């Protein structure tokens, strides 16, 4: 009887111990295609990978979504959660504050820009800029004013200008326009003294007006063409570049002294790009690739190859006993092909 009671107590203690060990808290963040909501269901490469791992380890999971990447990693560091999954780059700086699993995905950085087919609209945007439109309005005002002043000088000297002011507005403007563009009409040479002096002044000044106008258009088209010509990270200097704050991409640009705008989340970053507040995005290659073929398929392209290769891993508090069992299960998944199946579903077959 004593042996039976002892065995029962030991079994009960083991049961409660196992039950407590089976429930863990997992942190994540919206970061398609690794972790995101799809019609109310949390899915993605990292989510499906962890679902398989947790089933093998017989673990119950309580997933908490954080608003920012920094908050998620802070939760791991201060042990508010048992682990974190998403597109978490394994870096030396982060390794000092937390532990990582074996790599679960090979990634890198890449540049996202507007599609090349959008250049024509971009050039039209430059031509219709506020400065250029102001120059055009000013040119028309000068031509109209010059034409009407010539009407004042010539209305009694030649029949072309001999009409009331209201009727003379367009003919006078047309005369000034032809004078600037074609050098004037031979049959309508000014006859009055003031008219001839003013006509000479218009002809000489028109050389400068036309030159400045053509130069302004050429400059606008050249600058826009240069701005749109982004083929690699080296073309980002002087451009409006965006990324996520405290990301590896941000650290990379800090090291290269490349100016950028930092955003708290991916939604804010892509929204700024869609509203043409940014010329390019520098961020994790698989995240940008997924965006380019889904939400941005009609207007976004990836520019240049993947660079600064890095690995993603699952993050654990320092010294977490969970890491070793997760690593072992992850190795088993690679060996039996389960990992390859999940990878193929989201990114295509492994090379």
């Amino acid at each position: 009887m004593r042996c039976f009671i002892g065995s029962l107590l030991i079994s009960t203690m083991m049961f409660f111990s196992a039950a407590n060990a089976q429930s863990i808290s997992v942190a994540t963040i919206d970061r398609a295609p690794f972790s995101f909501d799809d019609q109310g269901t949390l899915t993605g490469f990292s989510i499906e990978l962890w679902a398989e791992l947790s089933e093998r380890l017989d673990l119950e999971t309580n997933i908490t979504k954080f608003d920012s990447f920094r908050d998620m990693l802070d939760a791991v560091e201060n042990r508010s959660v048992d682990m974190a999954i998403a597109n978490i780059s394994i870096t030396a700086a982060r390794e000092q504050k937390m532990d990582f699993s074996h790599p679960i995905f090979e990634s890198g950085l890449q540049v996202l820009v507007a599609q090349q087919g959008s250049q024509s609209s971009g050039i039209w945007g430059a031509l219709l800029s506020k400065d250029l439109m102001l120059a055009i309005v000013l040119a028309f005002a000068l031509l109209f004013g010059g034409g009407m002043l010539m009407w004042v000088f010539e209305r009694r000297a030649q029949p072309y200008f001999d009409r009331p002011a209201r009727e003379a507005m367009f003919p006078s403007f047309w005369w000034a326009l032809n004078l600037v563009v074609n050098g004037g009409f031979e049959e309508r040479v000014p006859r009055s003294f003031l008219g001839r002096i003013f006509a000479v002044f218009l002809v000489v000044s028109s050389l400068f007006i036309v030159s400045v106008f053509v130069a302004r258009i050429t400059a606008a088209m050249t600058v826009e063409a240069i701005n749109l010509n982004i083929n690699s990270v080296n073309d980002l200097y002087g451009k409006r570049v965006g990324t996520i704050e405290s990301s590896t991409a941000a650290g990379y640009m800090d090291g290269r002294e490349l100016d950028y705008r930092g955003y708290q989340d991916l939604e804010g970053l892509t929204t700024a790009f869609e509203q043409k507040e940014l010329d390019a995005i520098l961020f994790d290659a698989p995240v940008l690739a997924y965006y380019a073929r889904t939400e941005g398929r009609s207007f976004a392209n990836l520019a240049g190859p993947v660079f600064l290769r890095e690995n993603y891993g699952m993050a654990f508090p320092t010294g977490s006993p969970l890491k070793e069992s997760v690593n072992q299960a992850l190795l088993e998944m690679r060996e039996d092909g389960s990992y390859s199946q999940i990878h193929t579903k989201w990114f295509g077959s492994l090379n």
Side-chain angles (χ1 to χ4, degrees):
M1 177 66 72
R2 290 180 179 178
C3 292
F4 173 75
I5 295 175
S7 298
L8 182 61
L9 288 174
I10 293 173
S11 299
T12 303
M13 291 175 63
M14 291 179 63
F15 172 79
F16 282 110
S17 176
N20 290 335
Q22 286 178 350
S23 181
I24 65 169
S25 57
V26 177
T28 190
I29 188 174
D30 274 322
R31 194 59 57 82
F34 293 92
S35 173
F36 64 101
D37 278 319
D38 183 13
Q39 297 180 351
T41 301
L42 190 62
T43 187
F45 171 77
S46 296
I47 299 299
E48 288 197 10
L49 182 65
W50 175 248
E52 177 66 24
L53 287 169
S54 62
E55 184 176 348
R56 291 174 182 240
L57 296 172
D58 195 23
L59 297 172
E60 289 185 7
T61 303
N62 297 314
I63 298 181
T64 302
K65 283 207 309 180
F66 285 79
D67 294 330
S68 71
F69 214 84
R70 179 182 297 174
D71 291 342
M72 179 183 67
L73 295 183
D74 286 345
V76 175
E77 186 179 352
N78 62 33
R79 301 179 181 273
S80 298
V81 296
D82 295 310
M83 61 174 293
I85 53 174
N87 59 320
I88 307 174
S89 300
I90 303 174
T91 66
R94 289 174 180 172
E95 186 69 43
Q96 295 176 358
K97 301 177 181 179
M98 61 194 72
D99 288 343
F100 284 94
S101 67
H102 291 323
I104 63 172
F105 191 85
E106 182 181 353
S107 180
L109 302 181
Q110 203 164 13
V111 178
L112 182 82
V113 298
Q115 287 183 2
Q116 296 300 315
S118 301
Q119 288 191 7
S120 58
S121 61
I123 292 175
W124 276 111
L127 293 179
L128 298 177
S129 64
K130 181 179 180 180
D131 291 342
L132 188 57
M133 293 302 296
L134 182 61
I136 293 174
V137 171
L138 182 60
F140 272 82
L142 290 174
L143 290 173
F144 179 78
M148 291 306 295
L149 188 58
M150 183 60 69
W151 170 78
V152 172
F153 295 146
E154 294 288 309
R155 60 179 176 173
R156 294 186 178 86
Q158 58 173 297
Y160 181 79
F161 291 101
D162 187 16
R163 63 188 78 197
R166 179 176 298 180
E167 297 178 9
M169 288 182 181
F170 182 76
S172 299
F173 169 78
W174 186 255
W175 182 90
L177 180 63
N178 276 274
L179 181 73
V180 171
V181 176
N182 300 318
F185 306 94
E186 290 187 8
E187 67 275 14
R188 294 171 188 161
V189 174
R191 299 176 183 177
S192 66
F193 176 73
L194 292 177
R196 290 176 177 178
I197 293 178
F198 184 64
V200 171
F201 172 78
L202 280 181
V203 171
V204 174
S205 61
S206 68
L207 298 176
F208 296 97
I209 295 174
V210 173
S211 298
V212 170
F213 190 73
V214 172
R216 183 68 182 84
I217 295 177
T218 304
M221 295 179 68
T222 302
V223 169
E224 187 66 19
I226 292 174
N227 286 339
L228 290 169
N229 188 26
I230 299 176
N231 298 311
S232 70
V233 66
N234 293 323
D235 298 322
L236 295 180
Y237 290 95
K239 308 298 191 301
R240 299 172 300 169
V241 185
T243 193
I244 301 294
E245 294 177 347
S246 303
S247 63
T248 52
Y252 173 81
M253 287 190 282
D254 286 334
R256 297 195 58 168
E257 298 183 351
L258 203 163
D259 292 334
Y260 65 90
R261 302 178 188 177
Y263 294 82
Q264 185 176 1
D265 52 43
L266 189 63
E267 182 180 359
L269 177 63
T270 54
T271 298
F273 178 75
E274 293 166 7
Q275 294 177 351
K276 299 182 180 180
E277 297 174 8
L278 298 173
D279 300 316
I281 294 176
L282 177 63
F283 196 55
D284 295 12
V287 175
L288 294 183
Y290 182 82
Y291 173 79
R293 70 173 182 265
T294 54
E295 297 178 46
R297 63 183 177 273
S298 62
F299 56 85
N301 270 341
L302 295 172
V306 178
F307 60 96
L308 196 67
R309 294 283 179 173
E310 57 188 6
N311 289 312
Y312 295 159
M314 303 179 195
F316 302 88
T318 302
S320 171
L322 183 62
K323 183 184 74 171
E324 186 58 35
S325 57
V326 168
N327 281 337
Q328 185 175 349
L330 185 59
L331 289 175
E332 292 174 355
M333 287 186 62
R334 287 186 178 273
E335 292 172 358
D336 63 24
S338 302
Y339 173 87
S340 179
Q341 291 177 1
I342 298 175
H343 188 284
T344 299
K345 174 183 177 179
W346 289 98
F347 303 102
S349 60
L350 289 166
N351 295 326

